[in-house]
Amino acid sequence: DADVTQTPRNRITKTGKRIMLECSQTKGHDRMYWYRQDPGLGLRLIYYSFDVKDINKGEISDGYSVSRQAQAKFSLSLESAIPNQTALYFCATSDLLGRGQGGDTQYFGPGTRLTVL
Amino acid sequence: AQKITQTQPGMFVQEKEAVTLDCTYDTSDQSYGLFWYKQPSSGEMIFLIYQGSYDEQNATEGRYSLNFQKARKSANLVISASQLGDSAMYFCATPSRITGNQFYFGTGTSLTVIP
């Protein structure tokens, strides 16, 4: 089974709808991240969390909110989806103490393709 | 903030040949890491290789190696003996310790391996 899972894998929705993307991990990592990927722009950080009580905004957090329900679960919500939120969304995890290879290596889920019409 | 620059939007390589993908970086951290990820057409991000700024040896992982030149702030990925399955997007990234180890990614290089 995959260490980092995301649901749904694909979603098409309409402008104004509320959408939740979910991420679960079995790696036992403390840190979790949400990124979005747009063509030609690489990945950009939306939110990150060090633990269930520590949530921080990334560079493009406007229009998004998150919830860290447990160490293993980190959800991303779009309260009122708009077309320019159409993108590929990734969840990632990393080990707080950098015990993994490369110290700060981030491990990514398979991604969620979101289309807002 | 950190910055990663990948200046090659697309690269072509003949199967079994070696190819170098360029990455230059700018960071305010004294100790930092450079990471390379592969993104095939299926979309997932696959970790390939890591180089620490204080590592004396260039990192190697199988057919992947890093040509790390600290003074030039470059961390180029070398893929030896290219295979058709190497066709993908490749991203260079570095974390920022100031912002929770947020990864800053370059815009990527699309590699196509020609049979």
Side-chain angles (χ1 to χ4, degrees):
Chain A
D1 290 338
D3 294 321
V4 185
T5 58
Q6 293 182 233
T7 56
R9 294 294 311 279
N10 291 280
R11 183 71 183 270
I12 299 174
T13 191
K14 295 183 178 180
T15 296
K17 294 291 188 181
R18 183 178 187 274
I19 297 297
M20 178 179 286
L21 308 183
E22 298 186 345
C23 176
S24 294
Q25 54 115 347
T26 59
K27 298 186 76 66
H29 288 168
D30 291 300
R31 297 183 177 185
M32 299 186 73
Y33 306 79
W34 275 104
Y35 292 89
R36 67 175 276 176
Q37 184 180 26
D38 298 280
L41 292 179
L43 279 73
R44 293 179 293 165
L45 184 69
I46 306 172
Y47 271 94
Y48 64 98
S49 169
F50 288 177
D51 62 37
V52 294
K53 298 180 180 178
D54 188 349
I55 294 176
N56 304 276
K57 293 182 178 180
E59 59 184 302
I60 55 165
S61 60
D62 288 348
Y64 301 94
S65 63
V66 292
S67 173
R68 184 84 183 265
Q69 301 95 323
Q71 186 206 34
K73 295 183 182 297
F74 193 35
S75 300
L76 176 71
S77 294
L78 288 68
E79 296 300 326
S80 180
I82 57 177
N84 76 1
Q85 291 177 314
T86 294
L88 181 58
Y89 290 85
F90 285 103
C91 175
T93 74
S94 71
D95 191 343
L96 177 63
L97 296 180
R99 288 187 293 264
Q101 59 180 332
D104 303 317
T105 303
Q106 291 193 9
Y107 298 91
F108 287 81
T112 295
R113 291 190 183 276
L114 177 65
T115 303
V116 184
L117 301 175
Chain B
Q2 329 301 69
K3 184 177 181 181
I4 295 287
T5 303
Q6 296 180 253
T7 58
Q8 306 156 313
M11 291 282 287
F12 293 86
V13 63
Q14 204 74 37
E15 192 177 8
K16 300 181 184 179
E17 297 292 316
V19 63
T20 298
L21 307 183
D22 294 342
C23 171
T24 58
Y25 62 90
D26 190 13
T27 177
S28 54
D29 293 334
Q30 293 297 314
S31 174
Y32 53 88
L34 282 307
F35 294 77
W36 278 91
Y37 287 83
K38 173 184 178 181
Q39 186 178 38
S41 59
S42 52
E44 68 268 31
M45 294 288 286
I46 302 167
F47 167 68
L48 293 178
I49 194 168
Y50 160 83
Q51 177 79 47
S53 59
Y54 289 110
D55 293 342
E56 294 184 356
Q57 303 281 343
N58 284 342
T60 61
E61 286 288 346
R63 294 185 299 109
Y64 303 108
S65 62
L66 261 168
N67 182 2
F68 182 51
Q69 299 185 46
K70 195 171 180 179
R72 300 180 64 180
K73 294 188 175 182
S74 72
N76 299 336
L77 177 69
V78 180
I79 305 175
S80 62
S82 296
Q83 302 173 356
L84 296 178
D86 293 335
S87 294
M89 285 290 292
Y90 289 81
F91 292 93
C92 181
T94 191
S96 167
R97 299 192 186 283
I98 297 174
T99 56
N101 280 358
Q102 166 188 348
F103 268 32
Y104 286 85
F105 286 84
T107 52
T109 295
S110 176
L111 177 66
T112 301
V113 180
I114 303 167

